[in-house]
Amino acid sequence: MRLPPLIVRWLGRVPYRDAAGLQERLVEAIRAGRSPDHLLLLEHEPVVTLGRSSHAGNLLLSPTELAARGIEVHESGRGGDVTFHGPGQLVGYPVIGIREDRRDLHRYLRDLEEALIRTAASFGIEATRSPGRTGIWVGDEKLAAIGVRVSTGWIAWHGFALNVGSDLAGFETIVPCGIADKGVTSIARLTGSSPDLREVAASAARHVADVLGFEPFASGVTGEGLAIPPPSPLSSPPRRAP
């Protein structure tokens, strides 16, 4: 059976507000049947985002102090608490219509975790889940955060942030995801080398598509294409989350 298409777009470095606006437009287009499903891959200018479960105490600096450091603050409609995005971090926004046989938010979150665990494995990292917490971990340090929103018609948006580069100083301005007794880490810190962000994006695109049951197609827009690797025994067939 032919899998539905997933249009993969590499957008480079994008301000948070612009990426949020693009997602909103895609949500409406997908709901109206005017667009295929998309996976947006990018990095953000420095920004702290506040999820629906955010607590004021998890923001360690005032908006004025953050602005002095060049860090914006934005509320978002995703689930979860406070997190940081910045250069050297791969952000992925699957904007997709969840098919009727997969309409289980718990399953969707576990599927995104599975895709990120497979992406980490492709760089020699054994990441795991942490019971009761969303995201993927290496020991007591978080490698990737996940926060999603599901709108009318089961259109999912927002997504994940995978730490790639070694500079994690932005996380010192917050209590990441509201978890005070855990740290954060990155591919660079775990492996001693920092892969090109587009390389990580291409790997993530393949694994997200495989786990969610899509066939990925690189965007045909100039500059947005990625060399998406073929399926591997690790990623095919997709695993059903528990």
Side-chain angles (χ1 to χ4, degrees), residues 169-184:
F171 287 99
E172 297 173 2
T173 65
I174 62 172
V175 179
C177 302
I179 304 172
D181 60 341
K182 306 291 183 183
V184 293

Side-chain angles (χ1 to χ4, degrees), residues 82-96:
V82 58
T83 195
F84 172 81
H85 302 303
Q89 180 192 70
L90 175 67
V91 175
Y93 293 132
V95 188
I96 64 172

Side-chain angles (χ1 to χ4, degrees), residues 143-154:
L143 178 60
I146 297 172
V148 304
R149 178 174 178 176
V150 178
S151 295
T152 303
W154 279 88

Side-chain angles (χ1 to χ4, degrees), residues 1-213:
M1 182 176 69
R2 189 180 184 122
L3 295 175
L6 180 69
I7 305 303
V8 179
R9 298 176 62 181
W10 167 252
L11 302 181
R13 190 173 299 181
V14 181
Y16 181 80
R17 189 186 304 275
D18 292 350
L22 175 56
Q23 288 185 83
E24 289 174 355
R25 294 191 296 275
L26 282 170
V27 167
E28 292 303 318
I30 291 169
R31 183 183 294 124
R34 294 185 282 103
S35 172
D37 298 299
H38 277 65
L39 172 60
L40 308 178
L41 295 164
L42 54 112
E43 60 181 338
H44 279 310
E45 300 288 356
V47 61
V48 167
T49 65
L50 310 175
R52 294 193 303 270
S53 302
S54 293
H55 297 279
N58 292 330
L59 196 61
L60 301 181
L61 298 179
S62 70
T64 300
E65 291 171 315
L66 288 167
R69 298 189 182 198
I71 302 173
E72 296 184 349
V73 179
H74 287 280
E75 292 188 1
S76 72
R78 61 166 173 80
D81 207 299
V82 58
T83 195
F84 172 81
H85 302 303
Q89 180 192 70
L90 175 67
V91 175
Y93 293 132
V95 188
I96 64 172
I98 299 179
R99 297 189 293 277
E100 190 169 353
D101 63 334
R102 304 175 70 100
R103 289 180 177 177
D104 180 325
L105 182 57
H106 173 82
R107 176 185 180 180
Y108 181 61
L109 292 171
R110 302 293 80 78
D111 280 348
L112 291 181
E113 289 171 346
E114 178 66 19
L116 291 170
I117 287 170
R118 296 182 186 188
T119 301
S122 69
F123 293 92
I125 297 168
E126 184 177 354
T128 62
R129 296 178 175 87
S130 178
R133 296 188 173 107
T134 300
I136 67 167
W137 304 74
V138 179
D140 285 336
E141 296 182 313
K142 197 168 196 176
L143 178 60
I146 297 172
V148 304
R149 178 174 178 176
V150 178
S151 295
T152 303
W154 279 88
I155 311 299
W157 48 309
H158 295 281
F160 62 84
L162 173 62
N163 301 326
V164 178
S166 60
D167 184 2
L168 301 175
F171 287 99
E172 297 173 2
T173 65
I174 62 172
V175 179
C177 302
I179 304 172
D181 60 341
K182 306 291 183 183
V184 293
T185 191
S186 69
I187 291 176
R189 291 196 176 188
L190 291 166
T191 65
S193 62
S194 186
D196 181 79
L197 209 61
R198 288 177 68 112
E199 179 186 359
V200 183
S203 177
R206 166 49 65 188
H207 294 304
V208 168
D210 286 342
V211 173
L212 295 181

